[in-house]
Amino acid sequence: MKLLREPEAAALAYGLDTGNEEELVLVFDLGGGTYDVSMLMVEKGLTEILFTGGNSQLGGTNFDAKIAKHLLKLLDGCFNTEESMEIVLRAAESIRIYLSNNRVAHVALPLTENGWLRLNSGDDVILTRSQVHEIGVDFSASSSNSTHIFSQISRKDIDELCEDEFQDLIRPIRETAIV
């Protein structure tokens, strides 16, 4: 019996150990709070871990914090209690996950702390296509009504907001690949 790190387990789960040819595999896992990178040698059902690295201080939560900071800028910092900040962070996480499969997220951000506290989940700030059409505002330039700020956040926006974090992802990959 052997305890595996997540990248090695992922490589095995994807069936990378089933081929007959020797393969050098680089696997990385960006979890909620950690980032792991492993270099594996895989051949005929055997997996050898050549090197493991990463950053225990880097994860999805770092990206969420940057997105949440951006959301608070849009809201002009009008509140910051611990409870409402938790909801803003959940909304940021939902936006990050949504943008994994979509180019743009159209969002409706409550203008009041009570508006945030009434949300059931972080997903509630992301609008569907029909909601976007129904509202009929220009999302490319932030606009608002008496209860919400309407804006859009794109993958490109996330790239710019999280540039430092993306650079921090590259370092362990380079270190692992060079060894």
Side-chain angles (χ1 to χ4, degrees):
M1 185 176 285
K2 183 178 179 182
L3 182 62
L4 299 175
R5 291 180 182 241
E6 288 181 78
E8 293 99 40
L12 297 175
Y14 279 105
L16 296 177
D17 64 333
T18 59
N20 287 325
E21 293 184 29
E22 183 177 86
E23 290 186 81
L24 192 60
V25 180
L26 179 69
V27 180
F28 71 91
D29 172 37
L30 180 62
T34 62
Y35 173 55
D36 298 305
V37 180
S38 294
M39 179 72 70
L40 313 172
M41 181 62 71
V42 181
E43 180 181 23
K44 297 180 184 173
L46 297 174
T47 303
E48 179 184 358
I49 302 163
L50 302 176
F51 185 81
T52 299
N55 183 338
S56 62
Q57 302 300 309
L58 178 65
T61 54
N62 299 85
F63 293 85
D64 298 343
K66 288 286 181 96
I67 297 166
K69 187 176 179 179
H70 175 71
L71 297 178
L72 290 172
K73 268 188 188 175
L74 291 173
L75 294 165
D76 200 24
C78 52
F79 59 87
N80 60 4
T81 66
E82 192 173 316
E83 191 176 7
S84 58
M85 289 302 297
E86 277 294 316
I87 297 167
V88 172
L89 279 170
R90 285 197 309 257
E93 178 186 30
S94 293
I95 291 167
R96 173 179 53 86
I97 291 168
Y98 182 84
L99 289 173
S100 295
N101 295 315
N102 298 279
R103 289 185 11 224
V104 175
H106 295 93
V107 297
L109 308 173
L111 285 171
T112 65
E113 189 164 7
N114 280 341
W116 281 94
L117 296 174
R118 280 189 292 235
L119 297 177
N120 292 321
S121 75
D123 291 338
D124 291 347
V125 300
I126 302 171
L127 300 175
T128 64
R129 287 180 192 229
S130 62
Q131 290 171 317
V132 169
H133 183 68
E134 185 179 305
I135 292 170
V137 298
D138 180 13
F139 281 86
S140 62
S142 293
S143 58
S144 63
N145 63 18
S146 62
T147 61
H148 290 82
I149 289 177
F150 303 101
S151 188
Q152 69 180 18
I153 300 172
S154 68
R155 285 185 190 173
K156 183 179 179 194
D157 295 329
I158 301 302
D159 289 348
E160 291 170 6
L161 290 171
C162 302
E163 184 176 349
D164 293 339
E165 287 74 12
F166 285 120
Q167 290 302 315
D168 289 343
L169 291 175
I170 294 170
R171 190 173 302 111
I173 291 173
R174 285 186 179 144
E175 290 170 359
T176 303
I178 290 172
V179 167

